[in-house]
Amino acid sequence: VVESLKFMQGVLYVTTQNSLQIVFLGGPLDSYLLAGPDVPTTSASAASQQSMSKSFRPTPIPMALNHPSILSYHGSYLLLSTASGVRAVPLSHPLIRIGILIAAGQTEAASRWFDTVPRRHHEKLASFLERRGAPDLAVTLPGLSLESTID
């Protein structure tokens, strides 16, 4: 059951009773779980860094959210009001940052994040960029296959 929705800078944020998701609209939807109680537990530093070393997708942060409601951005965090106080959820994963910047029309700023994405994930990033309406940015990625460049 959806608790709250907030559309900010071209991105939809959705909370349920105990989780937070981000949804990139326009074209095919891309949706990612950002935080919730039922995610694999990792060390706090690994979760907060949300590195792309193993997976292209953001790793959800294990966080007990009790009826969260979206407040606003603060730096690179999304602030949530919960029954147990205010929580800050990092939006630091490169895929999330790139998606937010593209949705806000800041393609130049988004392209500065490309270097943080390992080259082995550039095909997936190119596909994401194409779905987000930025195929011109996708072709600038080094290491793309000829098939991806032609598409």
Side-chain angles (χ1 to χ4, degrees):
V1 174
V2 172
E3 289 275 327
S4 70
L5 297 166
K6 192 156 201 170
F7 187 73
M8 294 186 292
Q9 297 182 356
V11 178
L12 182 65
Y13 298 90
V14 181
T15 64
T16 65
Q17 184 176 3
N18 59 8
S19 70
L20 168 67
Q21 290 190 17
I22 186 169
V23 181
F24 296 106
L25 304 171
L29 297 180
D30 284 297
S31 176
Y32 302 98
L33 177 66
L34 296 180
D38 300 325
V39 297
T41 305
T42 58
S43 72
S45 62
S48 66
Q49 290 174 4
Q50 292 194 18
S51 93
M52 293 190 78
S53 61
K54 294 181 183 173
S55 173
F56 179 66
R57 296 180 62 86
T59 303
I61 297 178
M63 185 179 286
L65 298 173
N66 188 1
H67 299 281
S69 177
I70 301 148
L71 297 174
S72 67
Y73 286 118
H74 182 70
S76 62
Y77 292 88
L78 187 66
L79 297 180
L80 303 176
S81 173
T82 70
S84 56
V86 174
R87 300 288 183 113
V89 177
L91 300 172
S92 57
H93 189 279
L95 180 64
I96 299 299
R97 299 300 301 163
I98 290 167
I100 290 170
L101 290 166
I102 288 173
Q106 299 177 21
T107 55
E108 188 175 316
S111 65
R112 286 186 230 130
W113 279 85
F114 293 173
D115 290 338
T116 64
V117 177
R119 198 170 227 186
R120 70 180 175 277
H121 294 307
H122 280 193
E123 293 283 340
K124 293 176 183 176
L125 177 57
S127 178
F128 176 79
L129 292 169
E130 185 177 1
R131 289 191 309 272
R132 304 287 40 94
D136 52 319
L137 292 177
V139 296
T140 66
L141 293 168
L144 287 184
S145 68
L146 180 60
E147 179 182 351
S148 293
T149 304
I150 292 172
D151 283 345

